[in-house]
Amino acid sequence: MGYLKYLAFRILNAILVLLIVTFIISALFVKVAEQSNRAKMYEELMQWERTEGSKIKQSQGLEAFERAKAEKQASLEKKYELNIPYWQKVYRKAVRTLRLDFGTTGMPIFGTNKVSDIIKVALPRSVILFTTATIIVIILGIFLGVRAARHAGSVFDRGLSIFALLTYSLPMWWTGMMFLLIFAFKLGWFPLSSMFDPQLTGWAHIKDVLWKLALPVITYVFVAFGGWAWTTRNIMIGTLQEDFIMAARAKGVPERKIIYGHALRAAAPPIVTMIIFSLLGSLGGAIISELVFNYPGMGRLYWVALQQNETNLLIGLTYFFTVLYLAGVVLADMIYGFLDPRVKVGASAKM
């Protein structure tokens, strides 16, 4: 029951945070949308004055023009929901957002105006690129980090540490530009754009996707796996110095079993946390990197929403990223409570 109470407390805490964040997001974006809609209303009203309004003024006089203008303004205020109190609009927007009803965009994106459908199109593309690259980074990073920890102080360990510090300090967008310049523009090994060809189907489509995603994946792995390996190496070195590891070695337990059966398991909580947030974070894409490679994922979609001032799309994407982060926190707490009994015991003792 201690673990269940701990888990229930964490889930309720995440739900409460989600509600608060949703209302804050709604309050901010509704205010921005209100200002934008007011500007659109005045622009449309001025356009009316120059066309229909001027005709009414010339034929029926100034008094009829003022009445028609007031009616037109009231109609536009209703159209842009400027006649509804601010906090009432915030409440409505927050409720619709919690129901995953994000509304529509002003301009069609990916052939549709519905925000939820737009996100459904962009999300799998980010999974194909960034989640795949993240999985490769995690596997390489853990494997090389464990090996470096086993041979601490060796040439391999020092070389990996230097390589990690160099590559992890490189901005991914800059590395992507350099790789495009060298491997795509100069050598011609890869395409300059990662945009898929929608006319291809079957095996031709699969080959097209693999070819166009190769360079972005290589760039991501090159920049990120060294940092993962270096972090895993530092965690494992600390664990390998614990007393229970010394005792296992004194008993004659094989080194491979000590590393993968004892040390890596003891070091699992921080590594698992990194894995969870990396995988969930990969679903959000990367704005600048996707712009560099001309890739239509979640990051580029956010940039398009900012450029086109699509408030509903911005709310939908921000809500999605918030849910991802909170899901990561809850999932990490769940696994922490399972791997380390002290976590759930401490939480239960306070209740």
Side-chain angles (χ1 to χ4, degrees):
M1 288 300 294
Y3 181 72
L4 292 178
K5 287 183 179 179
Y6 164 78
L7 185 58
F9 175 76
R10 292 299 183 185
I11 293 174
L12 289 174
N13 188 33
I15 293 173
L16 179 61
V17 172
L18 180 61
L19 291 173
I20 294 173
V21 171
T22 302
F23 273 95
I24 293 175
I25 292 172
S26 300
L28 292 174
F29 283 110
V30 164
K31 190 66 177 177
V32 173
E34 189 177 73
Q35 294 175 350
S36 176
N37 288 339
R38 192 173 295 279
K40 291 179 182 178
M41 184 200 72
Y42 284 126
E43 183 178 351
E44 194 169 336
L45 186 62
M46 290 175 63
Q47 181 68 23
W48 177 87
E49 289 180 2
R50 288 194 294 267
T51 55
E52 297 180 18
S54 61
K55 294 178 181 178
I56 294 174
K57 186 186 293 185
Q58 292 174 1
S59 61
Q60 302 180 27
L62 183 60
E63 187 175 347
F65 166 77
E66 292 296 338
R67 285 199 306 268
K69 181 181 177 181
E71 292 176 0
K72 181 64 177 179
Q73 183 170 346
S75 173
L76 291 174
E77 287 178 352
K78 185 177 181 180
K79 174 184 175 181
Y80 290 108
E81 296 185 344
L82 296 174
N83 58 336
I84 302 174
Y86 171 70
W87 288 109
Q88 185 177 344
K89 287 189 287 187
V90 170
Y91 174 77
R92 289 182 179 180
K93 193 65 180 177
V95 171
R96 287 199 299 266
T97 301
L98 291 171
R99 293 176 178 173
L100 303 182
D101 179 15
F102 305 119
T104 59
T105 58
M107 298 288 292
I109 301 174
F110 302 143
T112 180
N113 292 84
K114 193 174 180 181
V115 172
S116 56
D117 291 340
I118 294 172
I119 295 176
K120 288 177 184 177
V121 173
L123 181 59
R125 294 174 178 174
S126 290
V127 171
I128 292 173
L129 173 56
F130 291 101
T131 306
T132 302
T134 301
I135 292 172
I136 297 173
V137 166
I138 291 171
I139 294 172
L140 276 176
I142 293 177
F143 174 76
L144 295 176
V146 170
R147 184 178 177 184
R150 290 179 64 182
H151 306 284
S154 64
V155 175
F156 175 78
D157 177 37
R158 294 176 181 176
L160 181 65
S161 298
I162 294 172
F163 179 81
L165 290 173
L166 288 175
T167 58
Y168 203 67
S169 62
L170 296 174
M172 191 173 298
W173 58 269
W174 182 85
T175 308
M177 292 176 66
M178 294 299 103
F179 278 20
L180 279 173
L181 179 63
I182 297 170
F183 298 111
F185 184 74
K186 293 290 185 182
L187 299 177
W189 293 354
F190 301 100
L192 287 169
S193 174
S194 298
M195 193 78 72
F196 305 147
D197 188 350
Q199 297 180 348
L200 296 177
T201 58
W203 179 243
H205 174 69
I206 295 174
K207 289 196 297 183
D208 181 65
V209 170
L210 292 176
W211 183 50
K212 290 184 176 178
L213 290 187
L215 190 58
V217 169
I218 291 171
T219 304
Y220 187 94
V221 173
F222 176 80
V223 172
F225 89 92
W228 258 88
W230 190 68
T231 304
T232 304
R233 174 244 185 212
N234 290 341
I235 294 172
M236 285 294 294
I237 284 180
T239 305
L240 289 172
Q241 296 173 355
E242 296 288 342
D243 293 338
F244 71 93
I245 298 294
M246 303 298 180
R249 283 174 173 160
K251 291 179 181 178
V253 179
E255 186 68 16
R256 186 177 183 84
K257 187 175 181 180
I258 290 175
I259 295 295
Y260 295 101
H262 294 77
L264 190 57
R265 183 177 180 180
I271 295 176
V272 167
T273 302
M274 291 167 55
I275 291 173
I276 291 171
F277 281 103
S278 295
L279 289 176
L280 291 178
S282 68
L283 302 179
I287 295 178
I288 302 180
S289 298
E290 290 182 16
L291 291 174
V292 168
F293 289 104
N294 192 27
Y295 187 75
M298 292 289 285
R300 185 185 179 92
L301 180 61
Y302 205 94
W303 175 252
V304 170
L306 288 171
Q307 277 191 320
Q308 298 183 4
N309 195 24
E310 297 287 359
T311 306
N312 289 335
L313 183 55
L314 287 171
I315 292 176
L317 291 171
T318 306
Y319 180 80
F320 175 77
F321 296 146
T322 303
V323 171
L324 280 183
Y325 174 76
L326 292 175
V329 171
V330 172
L331 193 56
D333 286 336
M334 288 172 58
I335 296 176
Y336 257 55
F338 180 75
L339 295 175
D340 190 352
R342 294 172 298 177
V343 174
K344 63 190 179 203
V345 169
S348 301
K350 294 178 181 179
M351 289 184 179

